[in-house]
Amino acid sequence: MNPSHIEHIGIAVRNLDDSIQFYEKVLGLQCYNIEEVKDQKVRTAFFQVGDTKIELLESTEEDGPISKYIEKKGEGVHHIAFAVENIEEKLRIAQDNGVRLIDKEPRKGAEGLDIAFLHPKSTHGVLTELCEDKTKRRINS
Ligand code: ZN
């Protein structure tokens, strides 16, 4: 799939504001964006670390996926997102390799990225996200 880099690491947290404190005060990173993604029932906070972002995820609803995740496993790393080009093709490659797709088609994630998830049962336990910044592609080509 040739990912160019790890676009972000998604971390499930109980309380976004408390967690931001740790990343800002202790790690010395700067939160540059807080965004609600209604579709996924989350509020997200972003920090840039080199080419990679940290995406903190707080559930906005009790029955949301992040809420359920924390109930089962507690706070912690939730998913890893790889930056790819031509995400539709990469999803086809995954499927051709027998990987179970959570999203058969890309959808809109935070920061306007096109995203799709691969099922952790097919990826040795890691919820894996593919994402593509199509605005970037247009600028580059
Ligand atoms: Zn993500």
Side-chain angles (χ1 to χ4, degrees):
M1 292 201 196
N2 250 331
S4 57
H5 60 286
I6 292 178
E7 212 284 332
H8 63 269
I9 298 171
I11 298 174
V13 300
R14 277 181 219 283
N15 183 295
L16 202 62
D17 299 316
D18 288 354
S19 311
I20 288 171
Q21 291 289 311
F22 167 75
Y23 283 88
E24 290 199 329
K25 292 222 167 114
V26 182
L27 284 180
L29 300 172
Q30 182 79 47
C31 175
Y32 69 87
N33 185 24
I34 292 180
E35 185 181 341
E36 188 171 337
V37 185
K38 289 235 163 83
D39 192 43
Q40 291 166 57
K41 301 176 180 172
V42 289
R43 213 158 63 95
T44 61
F46 285 95
F47 304 84
Q48 189 81 43
V49 193
D51 284 341
T52 303
K53 295 159 193 159
I54 300 290
E55 176 188 46
L56 302 181
L57 301 151
E58 174 199 69
S59 189
T60 52
E61 285 172 50
E62 260 173 52
D63 69 336
I66 292 300
S67 181
K68 284 182 189 155
Y69 180 88
I70 289 176
E71 236 169 73
K72 249 199 258 170
K73 302 195 168 168
E75 290 184 304
V77 173
H78 178 260
H79 66 272
I80 295 181
F82 293 95
V84 297
E85 284 184 359
N86 199 348
I87 189 169
E88 293 85 357
E89 185 200 338
K90 300 297 152 70
L91 281 174
R92 268 197 303 276
I93 292 171
Q95 197 163 31
D96 290 349
N97 281 279
V99 172
R100 193 165 137 201
L101 308 181
I102 293 176
D103 301 297
K104 291 217 159 47
E105 300 289 333
R107 55 191 161 100
K108 282 287 168 204
E111 301 199 302
L113 297 178
D114 285 57
I115 65 154
F117 284 98
L118 311 181
H119 199 283
K121 287 217 166 111
S122 303
T123 61
H124 303 271
V126 178
L127 177 58
T128 301
E129 179 181 345
L130 303 179
C131 56
E132 179 172 20
D133 186 347
K134 295 219 164 153
T135 58
K136 221 182 206 168
R137 198 166 110 201
R138 242 170 266 132
I139 292 161
N140 288 343
S141 59

